[in-house]
Amino acid sequence: MRDKNLYGISGLHQYVDAENFGLILDNVNAKYNGALWRQFASWGTPTNEREWKQGVKKTPILVRASVLGTHSGKPQRSTQGWEFYGGTLPQVGHGFNVTKDDLIELRRVSKLNDITFGESLVDCFIQNSSNMLGGVHNELTYMVMQAMSTGEIHDVAVDGYRYDFKFNIPEDNFVAPDSGKEWYIWDTTGATPELIANTDADVVEDILTFQQYYTDTRNLGVDHWKLSKNLLDKILLHPSVITAYKASKNYFNPSNVKVVRTDVLDWLHNDMKIWPFQVIDFKSRHEEDGKAVADAPAFDEHNMVAAPRAYRLFEMKCMNSILVDRVKMGGLDPSTRYTFVEGRIAVRNSWQEDPIMNVVDCELYAGPVFNNVNDYGIATVWSDYDG
């Protein structure tokens, strides 16, 4: 921070030089070193190719509010099909503006707290940058969760158009209970459909059958289940599981026994030899008309995922931002700052005079790809109401 003038008002460039701009953002981004997506994916080496391999475009779907970038045009629905989709990496973007009203407020706060305007502006920048970078990592996690639990990524924004994106997982790696034996079904006898346990289902037997199929028939290297917290609750509370657990204990009067969920879980793993569960509990939000709206669960709550623990499922394929080449060219406006967080997330700060505003935005071209689409399975055990 260079300007200590209590009354001076300018853009961030006046108070933070290029080196410290990068250091601040690296420090802000460090809080996301534990972002959930990193448990299942590792960065790929940035390239100059935007091709998103292992995918097949399906059908364009309705547009919703997006994080494509603060200053990009609003996405429009595609009606033309493949010619609008080149199999390219999606652009993840976010940003914020410090407007005239914000600057007035920062001036007021700085005088009240007896600090310089520059210090007040930098504090504002740090707080908003944390939210901005958090939004990027949240989007990466959302894509990874969808890909991992369904083999697809829905509502992918590419060049202003929305798509469903499907990975080439062998069809034989998708399994389900026998017809009529889904674990939960919809009771439509009342005024409103109600999800209830299917008394004809045998949850433990199904899981053991899935495990044997994946390892003995398909010869996959899978060794544990990934599932949502919601689905784990459904398993532990299912009558077929409770009944089998009580029967295994030879209780004199099973109906009077209070079942402890942790005991049932131990029994499933230790006695019944069901693989370990890795429970996914991730919630996210997106913006619609300036308001935060809860997303549908990123990890599909209808599915159990059979996966190996020997390696991460995904590589986060990424492309060098064109802003890398712009910086190398030199001749930048003195009010502009660039940095590349983790060598991939391009962040740009700029100042404009009319209207007076400090603009910060970022972009990242990235998307997950499976390290091995063959060594992976999905079991769908209940369905949404389709009536």
Side-chain angles (χ1 to χ4, degrees):
M1 192 174 301
R2 299 175 298 177
D3 193 324
K4 290 295 183 181
N5 182 349
L6 182 61
Y7 302 102
I9 291 181
S10 185
L12 187 72
H13 66 283
Q14 188 66 33
Y15 312 101
V16 177
D17 61 23
E19 180 180 358
N20 284 316
F21 180 70
L23 289 174
I24 288 172
L25 286 166
D26 286 341
N27 288 334
V28 168
N29 187 66
K31 69 185 291 185
Y32 302 109
N33 287 342
L36 185 58
W37 72 266
R38 298 184 195 269
Q39 294 183 29
F40 310 103
S42 55
W43 282 120
T45 301
T47 70
N48 292 328
E49 299 296 326
R50 198 180 168 189
E51 183 182 5
W52 196 9
K53 296 181 179 178
Q54 295 187 7
V56 179
K57 174 255 184 185
K58 292 181 68 181
T59 306
I61 61 177
L62 289 173
V63 174
R64 68 173 183 178
S66 135
V67 291
L68 278 178
T70 304
H71 317 294
S72 61
K74 292 182 179 179
Q76 300 296 315
R77 176 173 176 147
S78 168
T79 59
Q80 300 282 329
W82 181 263
E83 68 185 50
F84 280 99
Y85 186 90
T88 55
L89 284 167
Q91 178 187 8
V92 178
H94 218 359
F96 61 93
N97 299 330
V98 183
T99 65
K100 180 189 293 186
D101 289 341
D102 297 322
L103 295 171
I104 292 172
E105 178 64 15
L106 291 174
R107 180 180 64 182
R108 186 186 72 84
V109 170
S110 65
K111 292 180 178 180
L112 284 175
N113 295 324
D114 195 27
I115 60 175
T116 67
F117 172 83
E119 289 170 324
S120 186
L121 177 61
V122 171
D123 286 345
C124 171
F125 168 70
I126 291 173
Q127 178 180 349
N128 284 284
S129 294
S130 177
N131 295 335
M132 177 183 71
L133 292 172
V136 170
H137 289 289
N138 214 39
E139 183 68 12
L140 296 180
T141 297
Y142 199 81
M143 286 195 288
V144 167
M145 293 296 102
Q146 282 200 334
M148 182 164 58
S149 61
T150 66
E152 302 180 6
I153 302 178
H154 301 283
D155 203 12
V156 177
V158 179
D159 298 331
Y161 297 93
R162 294 287 184 176
Y163 297 95
D164 285 353
F165 193 85
K166 183 177 181 181
F167 294 92
N168 297 326
I169 299 169
E171 289 298 322
D172 287 343
N173 288 15
F174 291 86
V175 297
D178 292 338
S179 179
K181 300 294 183 69
E182 295 85 1
W183 297 355
Y184 284 82
I185 55 177
W186 292 93
D187 180 3
T188 58
T189 57
T192 303
E194 180 183 4
L195 187 66
I196 61 172
N198 185 357
T199 55
D200 292 331
D202 189 333
V203 171
V204 174
E205 183 61 30
D206 282 342
I207 297 177
L208 293 174
T209 299
F210 298 155
Q211 291 180 180
Q212 184 178 31
Y213 171 75
Y214 281 137
T215 56
D216 295 352
T217 303
R218 297 293 296 156
N219 293 316
L220 305 186
V222 295
D223 55 13
H224 74 287
W225 293 104
K226 300 180 190 294
L227 71 169
S228 69
K229 181 177 180 296
N230 180 278
L231 183 52
L232 177 61
D233 291 341
K234 283 181 166 57
I235 291 173
L236 297 179
L237 295 173
H238 198 282
S240 72
V241 174
I242 301 300
T243 299
Y245 169 77
K246 289 181 177 180
S248 73
K249 301 302 180 181
N250 294 316
Y251 292 125
F252 176 73
N253 190 353
S255 61
N256 291 333
V257 175
K258 182 179 180 180
V259 174
V260 179
R261 287 164 45 128
T262 54
D263 291 342
V264 176
L265 193 59
D266 289 341
W267 169 76
L268 287 172
H269 295 319
N270 297 324
D271 293 359
M272 301 309 297
K273 305 306 178 185
I274 287 175
W275 297 334
F277 293 145
Q278 182 177 11
V279 180
I280 308 295
D281 187 18
F282 171 72
K283 298 178 179 65
S284 67
R285 299 178 297 174
H286 66 276
E287 188 173 294
E288 291 182 3
D289 300 324
K291 298 180 180 179
V293 178
D295 288 317
F299 193 98
D300 195 310
E301 297 182 339
H302 307 84
N303 297 343
M304 297 175 64
V305 174
R309 285 176 289 185
Y311 57 88
R312 291 177 181 170
L313 285 177
F314 300 98
E315 173 187 308
M316 189 63 72
K317 185 175 174 61
C318 53
M319 183 191 76
N320 286 315
S321 169
I322 196 67
L323 299 180
V324 173
D325 302 271
R326 175 66 190 94
V327 171
K328 289 179 179 179
M329 182 65 183
L332 301 175
D333 186 292
S335 68
T336 303
R337 298 281 182 266
Y338 288 94
T339 193
F340 301 93
V341 178
E342 300 192 52
R344 296 167 175 85
I345 306 171
V347 182
R348 175 177 55 193
N349 177 87
S350 58
W351 173 258
Q352 68 178 44
E353 292 287 347
D354 186 19
I356 188 171
M357 184 185 303
N358 197 94
V359 180
V360 180
D361 55 20
C362 70
E363 68 173 25
L364 168 69
Y365 289 92
V369 295
F370 279 89
N371 283 313
N372 185 352
V373 293
N374 296 306
D375 205 21
Y376 168 86
I378 294 178
T380 301
V381 296
W382 68 281
S383 303
D384 284 329
Y385 180 66
D386 61 2

